[in-house]
Amino acid sequence: MNVRVRIAPSPTGLLHIGNARSALFNWLFARHHGGVFILRIDDTDQARSERQYEDDILSGFSWLGLDWDEGIEVGGLHGSYRQSDRLDRYRSVATDLVERGLAYYDFRSSEELDRLRTTAQKSGRAPAALIRNPGGSLDEARRRIDSGEKAVVRMDIDVSKSIEFVDLVRGEMRFEGDAVDDFVVLRSDGSPTYHLASSVDDVDYEISHVARGEDLLSSTPKHIILTEAMGAAPRTYAHLPLLFGPDGKKLSKRHGDNSVKAYREQGFLPDALFNYMSLLGWSLDADTTIFTRDEAVAAFDFGDVSKNPAVFDTEKLSWMNGMYLRAMDPAEFEAQAVSAVEDDVGRDLEGDERAVLAEMLPLVQERVKFTSEIAGQVRFLFVGEVDYDERSWNKTMKADAPRALAASIDGLQDLGDWSISAIERVLRAMLEAEDLNARKGLQPIRVAITGSNVSPPLFESLAALGAEQSIGRLRAALDRLDADPD
Ligand code: GLU
């Protein structure tokens, strides 16, 4: 089978999880069959299309590792893969359809069409039912066009014919001809509709399988009619289940920002998002949730995609991200950490700082769920003074805090051996002597040293920071408490 599949985003917004999932399934199918994955840009809606969104979409696909073989930026045998470059082609197809009697110029005003719709509704019929070819000769229509009258081009649907096809996900589908409206293919300003541009592209680019969201299922009979009208064989279709939030409602803004960019900025890993998205309507087998790209490629088939809506659950995704972070090669984790910390502190780390960070990282890798949390956990090692997180401070620096801080300074300031075990010994003795439990006695030290009550383990943190800095920070916290005892 010569597999050629495509993703056809409209650059009218950031790359959304739903579109990324469609791209991913197409990509898996192409890779499984050694086929071609094509990226075209559906930018016929010039008013809403923006370059910044196109850039975001391309960089989102690249970040996810969904490389495309043909299309935008890559090129291919079919000229431009941008619809706005192909307007003449769409117009010529529309004109040809009119010439061949398969489509017609419609001069009716919008008021007239509204009247027809209202009449249809009143008689309980679909609004489409009465908007049909009013007849008239093509010569007359041409004369009117030449004299400057405006018309749309509509397909002339044969209402006696039903449209049947086998959807790879949904099985046998059948649409009655009279339920398909005489849809517009060319607007009166000469611009193509989605139906025309998409169908022409799918034919011209020799797409074998069209896999897209189920919201487009009702467009498919129109695309089949257009494809056949162009003298081509219908493509094979697969309509992918829609994404729902955990509340059972269609995924939307209400569920938060579901752009790929937002997940990327929150510190999700592309491999984790890839793995999680591949489970949105598909599964590797009955019980494996974590798998490699190669395993997914080897097993993927549209025929195994579920008809049921898929639930997009960010908690499950976060859990999976944590699994991927912990499984990450430590050298890779270190590379990510170094760049995150350098971005955070706004300077390059020096050699000995790199060593301190490297020592701390195994402890961090066990704890974080997102790469974006790394810098916050280790920042305290690379700044002169800590910025206290006020919530941590207020929660922790209570009645026993001055005592715990003062006794820790006493115990630590003369410690010759600044090792993790020696620090631990001193601080445990302090708890004992002051009769404090670990929370009351050690949390103030954590806040004093790291600025926050969420940090890597305390004794290791003190050891990594060094004696001088650590004692200095304990004193600074005590001074702050003395100055503002409440
Ligand atoms: N530009 C359309 C969209 O983003 C493409 C739909 C299709 O795959 O045909 O929804």
Side-chain angles (χ1 to χ4, degrees), residues 6 8-10 42 194 198 212 216:
R6 82 324 187 255
S10 303
D42 280 9
Y194 156 65
S198 188
R212 57 188 174 198
L216 293 166

Side-chain angles (χ1 to χ4, degrees), residues 5 16 37 50 76 81 100 107 111 124 210 220 224 288 291 397 404 416:
V5 289
H16 185 263
F37 176 55
E50 287 184 36
Y81 291 77
R100 290 162 51 222
F107 296 89
E111 292 78 24
V210 173
T220 297
I224 291 177
T288 314
F291 43 80
M397 295 304 194

Side-chain angles (χ1 to χ4, degrees), residues 48 65 73 93 157 172 209 228 260 273 323 391 404 406 416 427 467:
R48 290 174 58 226
E73 287 189 344
V93 171
I157 300 298
E172 283 183 23
H209 297 72
E228 288 182 331
V260 168
L273 194 54
M323 300 292 281
R391 274 188 61 191
L427 292 181

